[in-house]
Amino acid sequence: MWDRKDSRDTKETKDTKYPYQTITEPSMENKPLSPSPDGFVNIGPSVVFKGDIQGSEDLVIEGEIEGKINLKDNSLHLGPKSRVRAEIYAKSVTIEGEVQGDVYAVERLVIKKSGRLHGNIVAPRLVLEDGARFKGTIDMEKRVEAPAISGRESGPKGAVPGNENKDKSLNLELS
């Protein structure tokens, strides 16, 4: 329409096997990644990660994680196919997959109908959808404080830190 020729079509090369110009992508070195349009980071279903995750962005996990997750001021969403074996600290947590480990939510924890949690909960608000599975203790009165970014001293295995008043906890087993 504008009588403009594509340079890839007309570029002559020494090797006639490849009539098109080789296009190279610009280097990604020293270029920051832009945040996703939805405002969260996604760990896909084929990703298996062992170690600690710390960050200051909302996170969606659809893969398999083992370790600790610390998103002290952000949200964590665990997709329906996620498998997480971790101690979790986040502003709000939504579970649709499987979680083995304690969950500390500053604002709220939601366990969807497809969600399964085997661990203790410390959160001021809790939503268990019909069909959700949970085994552990719930403490809705303790204030949640996320560990420092550098790490956290852990107490006895399976203990809820700062849970001296056992009479304020609720033991539930839902199937």
Side-chain angles (χ1 to χ4, degrees):
M1 177 172 145
W2 298 99
D3 198 28
R4 188 173 173 184
K5 293 183 180 179
D6 188 346
S7 64
R8 290 183 296 176
D9 293 335
T10 58
K11 175 101 175 161
E12 289 186 27
T13 61
K14 293 179 184 177
D15 188 1
T16 57
K17 274 181 155 175
Y18 303 104
Y20 296 104
Q21 167 184 339
T22 303
I23 300 173
T24 59
E25 294 294 320
S27 171
M28 292 302 290
E29 291 179 34
N30 300 324
K31 289 186 182 180
L33 294 175
S34 60
S36 70
D38 298 328
F40 61 84
V41 176
N42 188 3
I43 296 178
S46 65
V47 176
V48 176
F49 181 84
K50 292 184 181 185
D52 296 348
I53 296 176
Q54 298 177 0
S56 58
E57 296 181 54
D58 294 342
L59 178 63
V60 174
I61 297 175
E62 297 174 12
E64 187 174 333
I65 305 294
E66 186 176 328
K68 286 185 182 181
I69 300 172
N70 183 1
L71 303 172
K72 62 182 181 177
D73 297 321
N74 298 90
S75 300
L76 174 65
H77 184 100
L78 304 172
K81 294 184 180 180
S82 64
R83 291 190 349 217
V84 176
R85 295 171 71 193
E87 192 170 274
I88 298 171
Y89 296 86
K91 184 176 178 181
S92 67
V93 180
T94 302
I95 299 173
E96 290 187 79
E98 292 180 40
V99 176
Q100 288 185 349
D102 297 341
V103 177
Y104 302 86
V106 174
E107 288 184 358
R108 77 181 206 159
L109 168 66
V110 177
I111 304 176
K112 300 282 193 171
K113 64 182 178 182
S114 62
R116 292 174 297 284
L117 172 61
H118 190 323
N120 301 317
I121 297 171
V122 177
R125 296 187 313 182
L126 173 65
V127 176
L128 287 170
E129 286 189 355
D130 187 25
R133 295 160 114 194
F134 166 72
K135 182 174 183 178
T137 63
I138 300 172
D139 187 344
M140 297 178 75
E141 292 187 2
K142 180 181 180 293
R143 184 167 178 219
V144 177
E145 293 182 27
I149 295 294
S150 63
R152 162 181 150 77
E153 296 86 29
S154 59
K157 185 83 173 159
V160 177
N163 194 13
E164 293 83 19
N165 287 331
K166 282 291 185 184
D167 58 314
K168 292 183 181 177
S169 294
L170 175 63
N171 289 316
L172 291 178
E173 185 172 331
L174 303 174
S175 299

